[in-house]
Amino acid sequence: MSVITIIGAGMMGCALSFPASDNSHDIRIVGTPLDKDIIEQAKLTNYHITLKRYLPDGIKFYSDNEMEEAIKGSDLIIGGVSSFGVDWFLKEVLPKIPNSIPVLSVTKGMIDLGDGNMLTYPEYYRKYTNPYKSLNAIGGACTSYELADKDNTHVCFCGDDINVLRRLKRMLETDYYHI
């Protein structure tokens, strides 16, 4: 059993709590400054107000100002911010994550550099953070609703270290979440 901390209480990040819970991991969810209502409601009832689903039992919820506490002892950080939260994640979150903890980003899209070039979010993060961080991403056709409802889905995990990717796959793959 590992400790998985999801930073960003959006729908897809929180949907990943379902396979993580099914694999018996301890789960912590940290809201961004935009997630206050989601975190407050989840603390009271375990209900995610935008995903419109009850999250698995046993999750610990944290506000953004409790992030460092939530990161301590983590084995994996899942970056569950929307594309609007990428710069916040880069400036406020990545510096607080030790290099020994891999980061798995669920943010879809790319950064337009304005000169015709584009970067994936892990490439963007790598450009502005410690080069020794393990920055990885999820790609593929999977919606938060499918994942929360445990429908069969298929995704790819991408990154620079195949051993880290294999470990992340073992942590999150289930009979419905195929990696």
Side-chain angles (χ1 to χ4, degrees), residues 64-137:
D64 60 304
N65 61 358
E66 301 171 305
M67 181 185 340
E68 290 184 57
E69 176 186 343
I71 290 171
K72 286 180 187 168
S74 294
D75 298 293
L76 169 62
I77 302 293
I78 295 176
V81 298
S82 71
S83 55
F84 298 110
V86 166
D87 287 322
W88 175 83
F89 193 83
L90 173 67
K91 293 173 187 159
E92 300 297 326
V93 179
L94 284 176
K96 295 177 174 126
I97 300 172
N99 291 344
S100 60
I101 304 174
V103 176
L104 182 62
S105 174
V106 300
T107 309
K108 291 179 172 63
M110 299 180 83
I111 298 287
D112 182 352
L113 299 178
D115 61 1
N117 291 308
M118 299 185 82
L119 293 175
T120 64
Y121 290 120
E123 290 171 322
Y124 178 68
Y125 292 151
R126 186 166 322 287
K127 188 174 179 173
Y128 297 103
T129 193
N130 187 319
Y132 300 106
K133 283 198 185 301
S134 177
L135 301 172
N136 308 278

Side-chain angles (χ1 to χ4, degrees), residues 135-152:
L135 301 172
N136 308 278
I138 299 174
C142 173
T143 70
S144 57
Y145 299 112
E146 291 169 330
L147 193 51
D149 292 342
K150 301 183 182 183
D151 293 338
N152 277 315

